[in-house]
Amino acid sequence: MEKSKVYFTNFRTVAFGDGLPTKLKKLIKKAGIEQIDMDGKFVAIKMHFGELGNISYLRPNYAKAVADVVKELGGKPFLTDCNTMYPGSRKNALEHLECAWENGFTPLSVGCPILIGDGLKGTDDIDVPVNGGEYVKNAKIGRAVMDADVFISLTHFKGHEMTGFGGAIKNIGMGCGSRAGKTEQHCSGKPHIEEPMCRGCRKCQKECANGGLIFDDSDDAVELLNYRMAEYAKAVVDGRPCFHISLVVDVSPNCDCHGENDAPILPNLGMFASFDLLALDQACADACLAADPMPGSQLSDHLADPHFHDHHDHFKNSTPESEWKSCLEHAEKIGLGSRDYELIVM
């Protein structure tokens, strides 16, 4: 079987040469995005707008570069993400849009509209069958995401406190789930009340406040989350043209859903693109594992501790409770893509 092709370019530029947004345009064209018929089609560009207080999310300039290429190809692009399960600045469409605007994502700055995929309260979703799903039979996906004719993921590849890293599969699977869909994916974590912290206000019952509810320890909870996340991603991409982009930049140890971001654990490595989202995640992970940890980061601090157990895995060394390999293994098992890839360097 032919290996999946993953295209790569670094973040280097030359004086008076092309800037990084132009470099990104060249990368995705080289990777074959022009093969997709977008003429007159609605094109969803799925990305993360960043939680307020976090500044490690992708800059709007990258989103505009992708939207510009879509428009060149006759498509009708829009940026999208779905509401969060937890209370923050993106738990409903009004606050989510205000957060996006404050973080620099406006129709003027990105060159296209911004739609919240699961509507005002996160209830505008659609049940999408998961072909070959073992843990999810019907995924609850934001309706606007599924209404699009073409789907593009634009991912900030970074660390994650549960899944090891947040790549294309997480951006799509978790990110495109409605609030109910996100709850379903996390359902292996069994919440309990920390009585000294509880004031009896019952607000947690309304919006899953993760200050009063925490997850019990569970040996298989993260693996089950990974399995469901991969199956949700498959529901989103099956049956329509898709293209995937990941930028390994500002590799924070935790998700962009945090209202803060710690120092990057790894250097800025480059931009990757592929039609195969699993090959893309594997290529980004391999590049990260081959890189040297950044001094003064959570990762380097752990490795400098003489009592720390070295897992020989940057993501697990950064957050030992995390686990990522089961996600990629399950994604390959259900036919989401291939972990065997050819890296083509521009």
Side-chain angles (χ1 to χ4, degrees):
M1 183 181 295
E2 186 179 0
K3 294 181 179 181
S4 295
K5 291 180 171 59
V6 178
Y7 291 77
F8 167 81
T9 190
N10 60 31
F11 285 112
R12 297 295 304 275
T13 61
V14 297
F16 309 110
D18 292 332
L20 289 175
T22 300
K23 200 173 186 183
L24 177 57
K25 290 181 182 181
K26 290 181 177 180
L27 174 71
I28 62 178
K29 289 180 179 180
K30 182 69 174 179
I33 195 171
E34 293 171 311
Q35 298 172 23
I36 300 175
D37 178 13
M38 298 189 193
D39 192 23
K41 308 289 180 62
F42 292 112
V43 181
I45 302 173
K46 168 61 181 75
M47 68 176 305
H48 195 302
F49 303 124
E51 191 73 20
L52 289 181
N54 187 307
I55 58 171
S56 68
Y57 57 87
L58 293 183
R59 289 188 174 100
N61 312 66
Y62 294 119
K64 185 176 189 303
V66 178
D68 285 348
V69 171
V70 170
K71 289 189 289 187
E72 287 175 21
L73 299 175
K76 300 176 180 178
F78 63 95
L79 301 190
T80 192
D81 196 6
C82 289
N83 292 306
T84 59
M85 182 178 70
Y86 57 86
S89 57
R90 298 178 299 118
K91 62 182 179 292
N92 61 64
L94 299 186
E95 293 176 38
H96 203 154
L97 284 172
E98 288 176 354
C99 174
W101 297 336
E102 187 166 336
N103 283 344
F105 297 90
T106 69
L108 179 62
S109 66
V110 300
C112 67
I114 302 169
L115 301 178
I116 304 306
D118 58 346
L120 180 62
K121 296 182 179 179
T123 57
D124 189 13
D125 57 15
I126 182 171
D127 281 352
V128 183
V130 181
N131 185 21
E134 297 179 19
Y135 299 88
V136 179
K137 297 306 177 184
N138 292 282
K140 299 173 177 63
I141 307 297
R143 186 175 297 274
V145 173
M146 296 310 301
D147 280 347
D149 304 300
V150 178
F151 180 83
I152 296 174
S153 65
L154 176 59
T155 301
H156 173 215
F157 193 94
K158 68 281 182 188
H160 192 273
E161 56 275 17
M162 292 183 68
T163 61
F165 63 76
I169 292 176
K170 187 172 189 304
N171 182 30
I172 299 167
M174 186 61 67
C176 292
S178 65
R179 294 195 75 178
K182 289 179 173 67
T183 301
E184 180 180 50
Q185 291 177 72
H186 283 97
C187 68
S188 296
K190 304 300 182 184
H192 68 269
I193 295 174
E194 288 286 291
E195 293 185 11
M197 299 174 64
C198 180
R199 297 178 298 169
C201 69
R202 297 179 181 265
K203 185 177 181 181
C204 59
Q205 292 181 342
K206 182 179 180 181
E207 50 184 358
C208 188
N210 55 3
L213 298 180
I214 64 172
F215 287 113
D216 285 327
D217 291 334
S218 173
D219 291 339
D220 63 351
V222 175
E223 286 81 358
L224 290 171
L225 169 63
N226 282 336
Y227 301 154
R228 295 187 181 103
M229 196 166 65
E231 294 186 5
Y232 259 69
K234 194 167 193 291
V236 173
V237 302
D238 269 357
R240 58 176 166 175
C242 297
F243 189 81
H244 309 286
I245 308 156
S246 288
L247 276 61
V248 185
V249 59
D250 295 325
V251 187
S252 54
N254 298 321
C255 181
D256 289 346
C257 292
H258 280 242
E260 83 294 322
N261 57 282
D262 198 0
I265 59 174
L266 296 168
N268 296 343
L269 297 178
M271 302 184 276
F272 298 74
S274 180
F275 284 101
D276 186 332
L277 69 101
L278 175 54
L280 183 66
D281 266 0
Q282 186 67 65
C284 291
D286 289 344
C288 287
L289 295 176
D292 293 328
M294 290 290 285
S297 67
Q298 174 174 294
L299 174 58
S300 64
D301 286 351
H302 287 173
L303 292 173
D305 183 346
H307 303 293
F308 183 77
H309 173 67
D310 186 354
H311 299 276
H312 303 288
D313 178 321
H314 289 332
F315 303 114
K316 199 162 185 64
N317 281 340
S318 178
T319 308
E321 312 83 53
S322 69
E323 198 282 320
W324 60 273
K325 294 180 181 178
S326 61
C327 179
L328 303 194
E329 290 167 356
H330 189 66
E332 189 165 50
K333 179 182 178 182
I334 64 174
L336 191 55
S338 173
R339 298 174 69 185
D340 196 14
Y341 65 92
E342 174 189 0
L343 189 67
I344 301 169
V345 179
M346 284 182 55

